[in-house]
Amino acid sequence: SWHSIPGPKLLLLDGIDRMQRSYMSAFSQDVKDLLRSSNVSVLLSCRTGGPQYQTEIPPGTSVFEIQPPSGREVTKLAKQILADQSSSFLSNLWAGATTHRLLRLPFGIIETINIYEERGSIPRSEHDLVSQLVEGRLKVNERRHSVLSDDLARISTPAVRRLAEELAFQMRIIQGRLSCSDNAISATLTQAIAKARQQVLRIGNLDPDSGLVLLRHYEFIRRTDDAQWEFVHDIFADLLASTSLAQSWQQHLDSLHAASFDDLWTFTAPQVRTEELALMLNAMLKKDVLLGARCARAASSEKLLEQRIRTITGVGQHSCHSLALVTRKLSRRRLQRRTPIVGVQWR
């Protein structure tokens, strides 16, 4: 047991916001049992948006929040990477009023700088930024076709992307998982190949093993040390899964209850058909007002947000406008608060 291990111990536990609710009670009790020892400390990290239910934290807990980079730090990064181009980049960044969540992360800032250096433009939304990262990954690895077999090398990059989209949708939405075991990945990829084949003519007689080789070559998925298959980053999986979710969102509204799907729905909103967007926002506002406001911003439909609030609440136009304004501000605040990792140190 843990108590039999000599010496001081620090236990690092990451991603509690993604833990299933049914596990939380046993998890909390296990941690409390560990802390009965005087030489054990626990560092717990999670997004501030989760867990989305009450968690019992032992007394004496210290809470720390990692703040997003300041304007000065953004300027420093730009100068380090862009040198003489940094002034132009910063002018475009601040003038464009680009405030999406990823610009509050070092990852998002650095990738935005890299895209500006290559293309001379700044992605104006989370969807645009991650889409350009995915496309960049496809282009880079397309140049390495010589390491693939002739059959796999003939599969086009749009077909590879469609396969990755279907696999992400199968894992994230249909199965509700972030990773697959060696046994599960074959069946999951078989379903993804079948779906992709309905829409892509030049995917050939691809089998699951070849599909894994292809998706690993394009750096979409990886196999972990504990024999689990997962996407290289959750945000890539969310973007890829959003393509299929935009076509079938009405069948998957139950996922609105899980905070871990917020990014996926935000990526989905701009892709929903115009005639269905009002219906989707209406369904969101009934379940999660702040997520609905965030998706309205992503879909550039803030006027539609006001109309939906008026329909749901029955308030007048002036009151509705004020309520929508408050909702949008809260959405931005939630967006900011969900970004940092919060460290909780027990002991």
Side-chain angles (χ1 to χ4, degrees), residues 208-220:
D209 289 340
S210 297
L212 287 176
V213 171
L214 193 63
L215 293 175
R216 289 184 83 176
H217 171 79
Y218 280 94
E219 299 181 271
F220 282 122

Side-chain angles (χ1 to χ4, degrees), residues 10 14 146 167 190 210-211 268 271 282 289:
L10 174 62
D14 182 37
S146 59
L167 179 61
T190 297
S210 297
T268 300
Q271 303 177 72
N282 192 54
V289 172

